[in-house]
């Protein structure tokens, strides 16, 4: 785990460095928001000095890394608001959208995969396989636009087609505004989970210990849940960890399509305005959520699989 934690820190440093260099390599800069059209060289130089952009690139990088290490992310170059405050407001929205989508669609995907494996070759299995292929083939941005058009033009008032209502203001409207973004965000991931669990469970059902359980006369429900499903869930955890990171950190397209004020929308806005501190902080947060989710999967491997746990607890490693 210490090695994995070290790897997480290395990846975060690489992400921070790459985003910093890419932002400075793109044309334009945050000073354009202050200068307007046809600025004089004197005004440009004054704004660059005010924002600290007149320093060499390596000096700007070291200054930003030092501020990150001291947990001082600075202020937005365009609004002047503290970066931590901007992230805190948007983070709660993205976490709610991502976690609710993950829990609902993970349950649906695992249920569909388990039922398809238990009824392999039957109608339900075919429906799950065809439905998962269709769900994987639909781009999320296209599906989001179709839903916005459908519920905004043809079914107005049924579900909100855009916008966001905080849970503290109106819990019912919050859940209603959550439906369409969560559906768009999670349907493809649910298909991946269903197909992965189905394949793993089919392999588990063909194992010797499952045949032995059936020979002992165990009920089929016990065979499926305690012998097959418990072993099939272990390889599925890897997919779940990646999906959790995708749900929380990968909602950039969905949040912008449905006008959800989360981290994804903040990333797009900060990149368009060349707001370096906000863009880098939001990107590193996105990468961090993905890395932490994979780290949690490693802990779940240790907790769920007794063979992995015995290798370390028993002293063989």
């Amino acid at each position: 785990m210490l090695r994995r934690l070290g790897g997480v820190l290395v990846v975060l440093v690489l992400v921070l460095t790459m985003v910093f260099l890419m932002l400075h390599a793109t044309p334009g800069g945050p000073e354009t928001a202050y200068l307007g059209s046809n600025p004089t060289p004197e005004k440009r130089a004054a704004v660059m000095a005010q924002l600290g952009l007149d320093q060499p690139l390596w000096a700007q990088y070291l200054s930003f890394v030092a501020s990150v290490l001291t947990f001082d992310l600075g202020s937005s170059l365009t609004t002047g608001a503290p970066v931590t405050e901007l992230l805190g407001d948007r983070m709660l929205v993205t976490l709610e959208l991502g976690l609710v989508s993950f829990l609902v669609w993970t349950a649906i995907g695992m249920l569909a995969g388990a039922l398809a494996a238990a009824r392999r070759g039957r109608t339900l299995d075919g429906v799950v396989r065809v439905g998962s292929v269709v769900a994987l083939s639909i781009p999320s941005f296209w599906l989001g636009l179709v839903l916005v058009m459908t519920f905004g033009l043809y079914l107005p008032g049924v579900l909100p087609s855009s916008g966001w209502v905080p849970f503290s203001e109106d819990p019912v409207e919050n859940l209603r505004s959550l439906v369409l973004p969560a559906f768009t965000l999670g349907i493809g991931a649910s298909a991946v989970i269903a197909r992965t669990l189905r394949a793993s469970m089919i392999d588990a059902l063909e194992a010797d210990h499952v045949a032995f359980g059936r020979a002992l006369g165990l009920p089929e429900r016990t065979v499926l849940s305690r012998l097959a499903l418990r072993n099939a869930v272990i390889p599925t955890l890897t997919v779940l960890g990646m999906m959790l990171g995708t749900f929380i950190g990968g909602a950039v397209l969905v949040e912008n399509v449905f006008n959800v004020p989360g981290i994804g929308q903040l990333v797009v806005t900060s990149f368009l305005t060349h707001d370096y501190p906000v863009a880098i902080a939001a990107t590193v947060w996105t990468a961090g959520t993905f890395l932490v989710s994979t780290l949690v999967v490693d802990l779940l491997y240790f907790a769920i699989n007794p063979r992995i746990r015995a290798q370390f607890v028993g002293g063989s490693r």
Side-chain angles (χ1 to χ4, degrees):
M1 292 307 302
L2 290 176
R3 286 196 300 268
R4 289 301 310 274
L5 287 173
V8 167
L9 294 177
V10 171
V11 172
L12 288 178
V13 171
L14 291 176
V15 170
L16 187 150
T17 304
M18 292 176 62
V19 175
F20 182 88
L21 295 177
M22 291 168 62
L23 280 170
H24 283 77
T26 54
E31 71 276 3
T32 56
Y34 295 84
L35 296 173
S37 59
N38 300 322
T40 62
E42 292 78 10
K43 289 184 178 181
R44 180 179 292 275
V47 172
M48 295 281 286
Q50 177 184 351
L51 299 178
L53 301 177
D54 58 337
Q55 301 178 5
L57 188 61
W58 62 267
Q60 297 182 46
Y61 175 77
L62 292 179
S63 176
F64 185 78
V65 171
S67 64
V68 170
L69 293 177
T70 57
F71 300 99
D72 180 16
L73 300 179
S75 302
S76 170
L77 298 181
T78 56
T79 65
V83 175
T84 53
E85 181 180 322
L86 292 174
L87 288 180
D89 296 338
R90 304 296 187 100
M91 192 185 304
L92 296 177
V93 177
T94 299
L95 286 175
E96 181 184 355
L97 174 61
L99 291 177
V100 171
S101 303
F102 176 77
L103 294 175
V104 172
W105 285 105
T106 296
I108 294 174
M110 295 191 70
L111 178 62
L115 293 176
R119 292 164 175 79
R120 181 183 180 185
R122 301 180 185 177
T123 303
L124 181 59
D125 183 25
V127 171
V128 171
R129 286 187 294 165
V130 173
S132 61
V133 171
V134 172
L136 286 171
S137 304
I138 299 177
S140 60
F141 64 89
W142 179 86
L143 178 61
L145 292 175
V146 170
L147 292 176
V148 168
M149 182 180 65
T150 301
F151 287 90
L153 296 178
Y154 304 108
L155 298 174
V158 177
L159 288 173
S161 58
S162 65
W164 182 263
V165 178
F167 186 84
S168 58
E169 293 183 6
D170 192 336
V172 176
E173 287 299 319
N174 173 262
L175 295 177
R176 292 182 72 246
S177 63
L178 188 67
V179 173
L180 295 183
F183 181 83
T184 306
L185 182 63
I187 186 171
S190 178
V192 174
I193 295 170
R195 293 181 68 87
T196 303
L197 183 62
R198 175 187 176 275
S200 301
M201 194 166 176
I202 287 176
D203 292 338
L205 287 171
E206 296 175 353
D208 293 338
H209 68 279
V210 174
F212 184 72
R214 285 172 172 162
L216 290 176
L218 294 177
E220 188 65 17
R221 179 177 298 180
T222 303
V223 171
L224 292 175
S225 61
R226 297 187 62 84
L227 298 182
L229 184 60
R230 288 181 64 179
N231 288 276
V233 166
I234 295 174
T236 311
L237 284 178
T238 302
V239 178
L240 290 178
M242 296 177 64
M243 291 297 103
L244 178 58
T246 302
F247 275 109
I248 296 178
V252 176
L253 291 174
V254 174
E255 289 183 358
N256 282 275
V257 168
F258 291 98
N259 194 25
V260 176
I263 294 291
Q265 192 180 71
L266 182 65
V267 168
V268 174
T269 303
S270 59
F271 270 83
L272 289 176
T273 57
H274 295 270
D275 197 341
Y276 299 151
V278 178
I280 295 173
T283 307
V284 171
W285 182 89
T286 302
T289 57
F290 189 88
L291 293 170
V292 169
S293 64
T294 58
L295 197 64
V296 171
V297 168
D298 289 339
L299 291 174
L300 290 178
Y301 274 134
F302 185 83
I304 293 177
N305 195 335
R307 290 173 296 182
I308 296 178
R309 187 167 60 251
Q311 291 177 352
F312 292 89
V313 177
S316 60
R317 290 193 179 182

